[in-house]
Amino acid sequence: MMDAPAPDQSQPSCRLWAIQNGWSTAEPPGPVNNPLPSFHQLNLESLPHHQTPSFNRLQSPRNDSKSDSAAFSATNRSDYSMQDVNSADQSVQQSFTDPLVSSTFPATSQGRNLPPCSLPLLNEGPQHFSPQQMPFKSPHSPYQSSSPQFQPLHTHQGVLHAPQSPNENHLHVSPPVVGQYLNQRLSPQPASDWVNVASSSGSDHHKLVSPASPIQHQPQWMLPAHPGGTNFDPNAAPQDGNLTPQSPNSESRYGLDPKLLPSAVKVMEEDKAEWEGKVFVSEHFSQLPPLPTTPCVIEDKGNASPLAIRSTTYCVPCDGQTVLLSRLPLGALVTPLVKQKAPVPLCDDTDCVAGCCWCGASMCPVMSWQDCGQRFYCPFCGKLSEVSWKHYQPTKGAAGVRVDKDKRPELSLGSYETLHSERGEPAALLLAIDVSASALRGGHLEFVTQQIHTLLASLQKEEGHPLSDVHVGLITYDSRVHLYDLSPDLSRPHMLVVTETEDLQLPVRAGLLVSLKDCSESLSSVLQLIPQFSAESDESSGVSIQLPVRAGLAVLQGLKCTGKLLIFHSAALMETGNTNSASGFFGTNKPKTIFQPSEQAVSLAKECVDQGCGVHMFVLSQQDVGGAWPGHVPYLTGGALHTYSYLQGELDRERFGADLKTLVEKDTGYKAELRIFVSKDLRVSSCYGLFVPGPSPGHITMATVDEKTTLAVNLTHTRALDEARGAAVQVVLSYSSLTGERRTRVHTLTLRCSPHLQDTFRNYQAQTLLTFYCKKMYCAVLERPLQELREELQTDVTEALASYRKHCCSSSASAGQLVLPRFLRALPVYINSLRKSEVLLPGLRSSVHQRLQQRCQVLGLDTCSTVRHFYPQLLPAPRSADVSKPPTPEEALRCTAASLEPGGLYLLHAPLTLLLWVGSQVPACTLGELFNTSCFSSLPSGETKLPALETPLSISVRSLISSLNSEASCARKLLVVKQGDTCEEVLQRVLVEDKSPNGGASYADFLYHLHVNSVRLLQ
């Protein structure tokens, strides 16, 4: 957090902390100079228009005067102090042996008062900023556990989230130029392992240096020197009439050029190019896998696919102190029921070799055989288990490999599934429809019942479809519950009315759940009569959202079966009992309380989990303000919440039909039990995701699980790992299928171990860390203040960069170098997007229901979808001239307003959002081919549907939209955004590299502060 501290706070020295934790405390020889502007004066907030920026307090390296000392203040918060960076201005290139990305910031050129330690500048020449107070906060120490006597300190840090100025409400897109000077570049060369950007007097040279020969000069990107005597005013109009200023949201407050910063799009393109047409072999101690966003063929050779288990690092530190030193989490992302191109082999439980008899771990290739195959060593508990005579086979070779290894999936593959002999009741599909007075007045029940009837009829016609013979039940409710006996023996269905809803008891059980083939006619007749019901009572106060859940749960409990409960609710939202207050939402007292479910909701969710009942709620009368939020029980049971506006519009009706079909046909596991086993020297310390927490983080029960269900598992060392044995993680999922079969799916991942911190950093991936941090922080909002979580995110990344700079560079990097591990180049932009998301940083227009919904939706995403959510794809739509080649994800642009041209069309694709941005200078012929109108002002904006025109452009764009919608987990409405329109704020929220409307900092400013903090931490 970069909030301003109180002025009367004390300022103790942090020398003791530096000595305890191994940081250098030696005073620099010679004159002391600031390589950065006075940090306690930096401010990420917008400068007032009447002030002229200046660097009056900066000292030139040629001067012998000392810079101002940094102020430190002590508080009771878990923050640490940092010291000012004091080093002379240098333009010497440093060499590194580790693959990394290193960017040297322009040093102070002769005769120019620029900060030596700054990111690449958008404009050169002397810049002037007025001295404004910017609080600076140091990150957490990675050695807190080894130094309990140390009291955390607090220093000043800048406010990263500042309100936007009124003139930034609209997105003005123009070429990325500020003032009359442009950054001219030569063609970039192929990227090497790390990049060094150095500066010399009078000019800036951006050089690519190979780690094999660090002194060799590679082809450069050249930035022209700025003529002396020109001051840059960020608020001044361009002097050249042909140039227009860059979008205010894309500008950096420190003059940084966003184009020179590490690009997440480029990282994804490089990874895709590396793995295109190749096969990733997942074998014992496998190497770093492709990114989650890279489609790749994966071959199982004894290690689980990264789609099922993805470790945060593929080289685990041997001891816990190394993990603390890295400041990055040690854990894994688990998607146990993921759908893979090659199906997981299924074998009978009685034919498989039994697992460990001590800890319960399943058989896997990690087990090592001893005594000619009579016993095996379990790495998860460290004990020996006997092999039954039935499954005994001798071993061969010095490695002790069983002779039947290649014939048994449990001995040769990282993922397999077993089928148990016991069989339960098949899963049911239970429908609960609201027939209260408000629902009948809404006029949408006829459409809802018609969609249900059409869907069930289509399932019945498909021979061999798993759902063609599913058991179906029907419930209607207002203040009472109406059950329906759909037995085929009856001439017509019977309605059973239950008035005592507090302690709901079933009057009968037979006929409440009947096979779809046997009850299709009875069910169809009831669905046709529901819209004709008359309201028997006026439910002006609303209907409890827990009533249909309890009714459906009672039916499933009475018939002892699992299933999906689909609730179609229309009345005002109301929750019985005392609920948590949402007071303090916009304050700082207890903003966390809005995310906490009520005790009644948690208790009801636990009952659903025990029964294997997944709740899916369709709210047909959306309420953004007021009323209880009905999503807690659905999301805690593996279901979802879908909201609509009375289904009056065509777009809402299409979305409802698509969501209903996707939900019913989705492959689902019921009454799931997830157990996580790790090496005996590790333990599962916590688990994050959408589930009801249990007593053990390594043993989780869930009502339902599907192919998108992903959990984040945090691991902790209990003792040092054996480098020769490595580390192992096993995920065992036991669940019931649609037909009632009990199955167990096993995934096992083995990882290398190393005592070197450098190896650990090399095997981290930014996208995996983003997903892990997202699930951790979005779960922590239930208990911790949002401000504290945002601070922790910035702290972890800052200290990770400082630790990498200190411990993993063969030679000391200058203060002007931004040092990042190769595969973590995109981590700053991902973390900044997470920090300023609506969940962690609410905007003025964010309702409580929207934030609750977004939190649960994002927690339910898998790794690839999470990355797309926090860094959406910005794709240029095809022009009328090149419609034969529609845009592909490889052509994605950086997610910033500078990528948008006024004469272009752009699609922005995220799992929950689909936008079509139309520039104000799009040719009239293009508008006519796509929208059937040639006038930009008459173009409709907002939620719309593209007309089905037979033009090549319309066909290409609609085909691309259909392809992108197939990747989303839920149906989305297309939002057309016109340049300069009032609804353009929606686009600004998802342009994650720019300043966001809720006050979130831009990527360039956030990266600048990360670098500033990490450098100061080392001095």
Side-chain angles (χ1 to χ4, degrees), residues 478-482 496-505 507 536 547:
D478 44 20
S479 59
R480 303 169 299 176
V481 176
H482 315 138
L496 308 172
V497 181
V498 180
T499 57
E500 185 60 39
T501 59
E502 293 297 331
D503 186 16
L504 200 147
Q505 299 291 333
E536 300 182 5
L547 178 60

Side-chain angles (χ1 to χ4, degrees), residues 280-284 298-304 365 405 412-414:
F280 175 74
V281 180
S282 183
E283 55 188 356
H284 190 59
I298 301 173
E299 184 178 356
D300 188 347
K301 289 294 185 180
N303 232 13
K405 175 183 177 180
S412 59
L413 298 179

